[in-house]
Amino acid sequence: MTDSNRPLRFDLIAFDWDGTLYDSTRLIVRCIQAAVIDVGGAKPSENDAAWVIGLGLAEALARAAPDVPKEKYPELGARYRYHYLQHQDDLVLFDGVLQMLDALRARDHKLAVATGKSRRGLNEALKSVALRDRFDASRTADETFGKPHPRMLLELMEELDVPPERTLMIGDTTHDLQLAQNAGCACVGVSYGAHEPASFDEFKPLHVAHSVADLESWLLDNA
């Protein structure tokens, strides 16, 4: 049973967005594939398209479409945004996310988002699911360095006045876990997003959660 009076191990818990809190992995993969085809590139495999999720959009699309010339990158990005916007209202939070966030806030954890999305994209997502007031801070790839560079996590820690040893990063990709490692923070992986959990091992996550319920239980018992 969770002891609500147990001292906090982590003051700040930072979450990735897509594939960790938001059930968007399959849509992002389809949009990347469609955008590459639109500009004349070879359709990336589902695995290749999923691997780049979590990176900043420009880097992600460049890696997913190595045969597309650089001069077409602006068009590639525009086509990705076009396809994504057609379906973004279909996306939902994973079951149990709101309950988990509220339980963590009740325990006085500071909560943040560290994402490869754009600021505009994150703000639209936060507004669409009434989540804005549940987070104390957020950083996006277009306003700082993208993952796995540590800058976005370092900025969140500075803003919220929390040291690395009191910060936990949670994500569904190796980019998220490497971000934590580069910033000197502990990490937890989730297996229900974009990357296979076997690839997490080198980053020594404290836990790999197989559902939001599993994640919430671990956090309330260990964070």
Side-chain angles (χ1 to χ4, degrees):
M1 176 179 263
T2 300
D3 179 1
S4 60
N5 296 316
R6 181 187 299 125
L8 299 184
R9 180 180 180 185
F10 298 107
D11 297 311
L12 170 59
I13 301 176
F15 292 91
D16 169 58
W17 186 259
D18 290 305
T20 301
L21 299 180
Y22 215 43
D23 189 5
S24 50
T25 300
R26 285 171 293 179
L27 174 61
I28 293 173
V29 166
R30 292 198 301 270
C31 292
I32 289 172
Q33 291 174 321
V36 174
I37 292 170
D38 286 352
V39 300
K43 179 180 177 181
S45 69
E46 289 190 6
N47 284 342
D48 287 346
W51 189 86
V52 303
I53 294 175
L55 301 174
L57 179 60
E59 182 181 1
L61 293 174
R63 291 199 183 195
D67 60 328
V68 172
K70 289 184 178 181
E71 58 267 24
K72 286 194 172 184
Y73 285 179
E75 181 185 359
L76 181 61
R79 294 308 298 168
Y80 170 81
R81 285 186 285 270
Y82 168 80
H83 289 293
Y84 187 86
L85 289 172
Q86 303 307 302
H87 298 283
Q88 70 171 357
D89 291 338
D90 301 340
L91 296 174
V92 296
L93 292 165
F94 287 109
D95 288 342
V97 163
L98 291 180
Q99 172 187 309
M100 174 183 67
L101 296 176
D102 288 343
L104 294 172
R105 288 186 66 84
R107 283 250 304 255
D108 294 325
H109 293 284
K110 295 177 181 179
L111 304 181
V113 174
T115 177
K117 296 180 76 66
S118 67
R119 170 53 60 188
R120 177 181 176 184
L122 179 62
N123 284 348
E124 288 176 352
L126 289 171
K127 180 180 178 180
S128 69
V129 293
L131 272 171
R132 190 182 303 273
D133 294 336
R134 285 182 164 91
F135 295 102
D136 298 286
S138 61
R139 285 294 186 281
T140 60
D142 62 339
E143 61 191 10
T144 184
F145 286 91
K147 300 171 185 176
H149 193 286
R151 177 67 64 82
M152 69 169 64
L153 199 48
L154 294 173
E155 289 180 355
L156 288 168
M157 289 188 286
E158 181 178 6
E159 177 178 343
L160 299 173
D161 194 24
V162 179
E165 64 271 17
R166 301 286 296 175
T167 299
L168 178 67
M169 177 69 202
I170 301 173
D172 68 310
T173 72
T174 55
H175 314 307
D176 301 312
L177 306 193
Q178 189 174 357
L179 164 67
Q181 184 181 79
N182 291 346
C185 303
C187 64
V188 164
V190 302
S191 68
Y192 49 81
H195 286 192
E196 290 295 325
S199 63
F200 298 164
D201 291 349
E202 66 177 291
F203 302 104
K204 298 179 173 58
L206 300 180
H207 180 62
V208 176
H210 300 296
S211 66
V212 173
D214 178 8
L215 179 60
E216 178 183 3
S217 177
W218 187 91
L219 289 171
L220 293 180
D221 284 338
N222 296 278

